[in-house]
Amino acid sequence: MRTPLIVGNWKMNKTASEAAVFVREFLQRYTAPPSADVVVAPPFTALETVRTLLGPSSWIGLGAQNLHWESQGAFTGEVSGPMLRDLGCSFVIVGHSERRLLFGDKDADVQKKVRAALTQRLRPILCVGESLAEREADLTESIITDQLSAALDRLSAQDLATVTIAYEPVWAIGTGRAATTEQAVTVHRSIRTFLAKGWSQDAADATRILYGGSVTPQNAASLLEADGIDGALVGGACLKTDSFATIIAAARNTSPH
Ligand code: PGA
């Protein structure tokens, strides 16, 4: 069984003070942890605040939204893996399409970031996904295969075991137009086949593959109950405690295939 994982990607939203309000309100909703694993990925500037409020042994994991592949040096404006670890992060989102499209992250950069994360014992949440033009040109599978091949190039099975993959079709992100369950399931299946061929069926079965792109309290259950969808990477709907909690509640244990 793969435990479902719900990740809240705050993007460039919430000051540290607003983050504190959110976390307090969110924690009040729970007297016991939910059955899904939960990670929040606030902006860098709110990591310390969120970490402090969650406390040292929280059921909520802390993630960052990006990292630089070098550990330190003359890279103005960048944040490194050791800095994130030191702030209590255990996850980091890598290769988000906004990074790829707006900030020029190339497949080769994504590969270096995945490796840097693994070196720092940060668990990468690797985002892959096609644009609308690529989907319409029937290139979805080949684009995703290229992204995965680059990012996961020559990773050991042991390293792969710490990677989560998020299928995020670019056309579904922030548009209110989520992929249909069928579209997501098809791509998730091809990702799992890719992993089985490159590593092993066991490795493929153990890897969590999330769906992201306009996940809402309304569509979460049908997406999350589908075969092979092991959780969600949530943007807009993670910014309010009630909608994020509803999505978390929609996640149940999924079977290995
Ligand atoms: P969205 O963003 O839920 O707002 O579409 C998802 C993401 O970009 O991770």
Side-chain angles (χ1 to χ4, degrees):
M1 294 295 259
R2 295 182 295 267
T3 306
L5 171 63
I6 307 294
V7 182
N9 173 12
W10 295 15
K11 308 193 179 183
M12 196 174 73
N13 292 291
K14 297 191 194 295
T15 62
S17 322
E18 289 163 349
V21 173
F22 175 93
V23 172
R24 283 200 189 95
E25 194 181 305
F26 187 67
L27 289 173
Q28 272 171 12
R29 292 181 160 267
Y30 293 92
T31 46
S35 57
D37 290 342
V38 177
V39 169
V40 290
F44 295 133
T45 47
L47 285 170
E48 176 71 17
T49 303
V50 173
R51 173 210 207 167
T52 305
L53 286 170
L54 292 179
S57 54
S58 178
W59 51 268
I60 302 173
L62 192 60
Q65 299 172 19
N66 185 30
L67 82 168
H68 193 271
W69 54 81
E70 295 290 346
S71 299
Q72 58 182 54
F75 301 100
T76 302
E78 293 292 319
V79 172
S80 73
M83 294 170 183
L84 298 176
R85 274 253 28 125
D86 187 60
L87 277 172
C89 289
S90 39
F91 292 83
V92 61
I93 298 170
V94 178
H96 190 281
S97 66
E98 285 153 16
R99 297 293 325 165
R100 293 178 190 261
L101 295 169
L102 304 174
F103 302 101
D105 284 17
K106 304 268 178 298
D107 277 339
D109 304 324
V110 174
Q111 179 187 99
K112 287 189 273 187
K113 290 181 179 197
V114 167
R115 288 178 178 271
L118 292 168
T119 305
Q120 297 307 324
R121 287 170 294 113
L122 290 162
R123 301 171 64 166
I125 299 168
L126 169 66
C127 302
V128 295
E130 81 289 0
S131 67
L132 189 57
E134 288 159 350
R135 172 163 284 268
E136 284 170 349
D138 213 11
L139 291 172
T140 301
E141 193 172 334
S142 73
I143 289 292
I144 287 169
T145 302
D146 287 352
Q147 291 172 340
L148 290 171
S149 305
L152 303 176
D153 183 43
R154 284 170 287 137
L155 284 198
S156 67
Q158 202 184 351
D159 279 340
L160 182 70
T162 69
V163 175
T164 298
I165 294 169
Y167 168 52
E168 296 211 308
V170 177
W171 47 270
I173 295 176
T175 59
R177 183 184 159 198
T180 63
T181 302
E182 197 189 341
Q183 285 170 324
V185 165
T186 303
V187 176
H188 281 226
R189 203 169 284 149
S190 77
I191 293 173
R192 221 176 285 286
T193 303
F194 172 90
L195 297 175
K197 279 194 195 135
W199 286 267
S200 66
Q201 190 62 50
D202 282 354
D205 288 343
T207 304
R208 288 193 285 205
I209 306 176
L210 316 182
Y211 168 78
S214 295
V215 174
T216 62
Q218 290 72 37
N219 63 20
S222 71
L223 284 161
L224 294 169
E225 276 162 14
D227 214 24
I229 300 184
D230 307 316
L233 180 51
V234 185
C238 82
L239 297 173
K240 295 223 163 69
T241 54
D242 53 353
S243 52
F244 193 43
T246 306
I247 292 169
I248 291 165
R252 307 228 163 69
N253 283 339
T254 50
S255 61
H257 293 289

